[in-house]
């Protein structure tokens, strides 16, 4: 009787050990749950760029990023916090002399009024295209490196579109970054 009992206990313990080892193997080898994908808005994508580590390397790329910010400001109807973050990010692309002549509060108020009037007129900035790299005009003046680049903006108002041409003037700063000068 004692041998039967010992045999049964040994069988039960063996089954438990196999079950525990089997469950452990299952847990270790099961596929991990995929992290939930977070949907980023256009604004989020624009604001994710860290200019301290990833400043646009060329005149064209500076204007291209400026245009992405501009399209978010005019077309996306950002909340107040995003509006201010977009404006701050845009100002990181500005030359110090432009910043000195364009104080934060005044810039914010004027831009908000301009965007509100733009949206109230049912306009949409449907395109912003910086000129080709070959369109950039580089020159030196007063010991500074400057560059001019054309940029075309397409504005939709109902079914009508208007294209305007802006010429951006950029100046290279002490860190070798092209900054919007005017």
């Amino acid at each position: 009787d004692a041998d039967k009992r010992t045999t049964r206990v040994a069988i039960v313990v063996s089954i438990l050990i196999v079950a525990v080892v089997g469950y452990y193997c299952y847990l270790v080898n099961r596929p991990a749950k995929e992290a939930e994908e977070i949907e980023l808005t256009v604004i989020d994508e624009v604001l994710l760029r860290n200019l301290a580590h990833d400043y646009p390397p060329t005149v064209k790329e500076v204007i291209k990023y400026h245009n992405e910010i501009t399209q978010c400001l005019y077309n996306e109807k950002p909340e107040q916090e995003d509006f201010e973050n977009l404006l701050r990010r845009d100002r990181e692309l500005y030359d110090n002399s432009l910043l000195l002549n364009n104080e934060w509060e005044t810039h914010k108020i004027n831009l908000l009024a301009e965007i509100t009037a733009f949206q109230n007129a049912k306009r949409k900035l449907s395109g912003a295209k910086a000129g080709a790299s070959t369109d950039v005009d580089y020159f030196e003046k007063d010991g500074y490196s400057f560059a001019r680049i054309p940029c075309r903006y397409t504005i939709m108002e109902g079914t009508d579109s208007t294209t305007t041409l802006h010429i951006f003037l950029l100046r290279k700063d002490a860190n070798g970054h092209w900054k919007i000068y005017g």
Side-chain angles (χ1 to χ4, degrees):
D1 230 8
D3 283 340
K4 278 185 170 181
R5 199 176 289 159
T6 304
T7 304
R8 275 190 253 170
V9 169
I11 290 173
V12 169
V13 168
S14 297
I15 291 172
L16 285 174
I17 289 173
V18 168
V20 168
V21 169
Y23 186 66
Y24 174 78
C25 289
Y26 164 76
L27 288 177
V28 169
N29 294 319
R30 77 177 176 177
K33 284 187 178 179
E34 291 183 27
E36 288 184 37
E37 288 191 30
I38 299 171
E39 292 263 342
L40 294 177
T41 66
V42 174
I43 293 171
D44 293 334
E45 288 177 13
V46 168
L47 289 175
L48 277 175
R49 186 169 192 163
N50 181 344
L51 293 181
H53 300 290
D54 188 23
Y55 194 86
T58 66
V59 170
K60 181 177 179 170
E61 290 297 316
V62 170
I63 298 306
K64 187 175 169 188
Y65 187 54
H66 166 74
N67 288 341
E68 290 172 10
I69 293 168
T70 300
Q71 286 185 299
C72 285
L73 287 166
Y74 281 80
N75 294 343
E76 299 300 321
K77 298 182 181 174
E79 298 293 327
Q80 181 67 27
E81 182 180 352
D82 284 337
F83 173 82
E84 289 183 7
N85 288 334
L86 287 164
L87 182 55
R88 270 190 206 90
R89 186 58 53 86
D90 200 31
R91 289 172 64 89
E92 289 181 53
L93 301 174
Y94 289 10
D95 185 88
N96 284 333
S97 62
L98 182 56
L99 291 173
L100 289 173
N101 292 314
N102 208 1
E103 184 269 328
W104 168 258
E105 267 314 305
T106 304
H107 189 182
K108 186 171 75 169
I109 290 166
N110 290 343
L111 182 61
L112 193 52
E114 184 179 305
I115 291 169
T116 300
F118 183 87
Q119 291 172 345
N120 287 344
K122 306 284 189 236
R123 292 185 184 126
K124 182 169 176 87
L125 183 57
S126 65
K129 184 163 175 45
S133 297
T134 55
D135 293 332
V136 179
D137 175 30
Y138 295 96
F139 62 97
E140 301 285 324
K141 185 172 182 185
D142 299 328
Y144 290 103
S145 295
F146 287 91
R148 275 188 289 261
I149 184 170
C151 184
R152 296 192 185 285
Y153 292 97
T154 304
I155 299 167
M156 296 298 296
E157 191 169 350
T159 57
D160 297 331
S161 72
T162 306
T163 301
T164 61
L165 177 67
H166 291 244
I167 306 293
F168 283 92
L169 180 63
L170 292 89
R171 180 168 74 170
K172 193 177 272 192
D173 71 5
N175 297 320
H177 295 144
W178 287 103
K179 299 285 190 159
I180 298 171
Y181 186 74

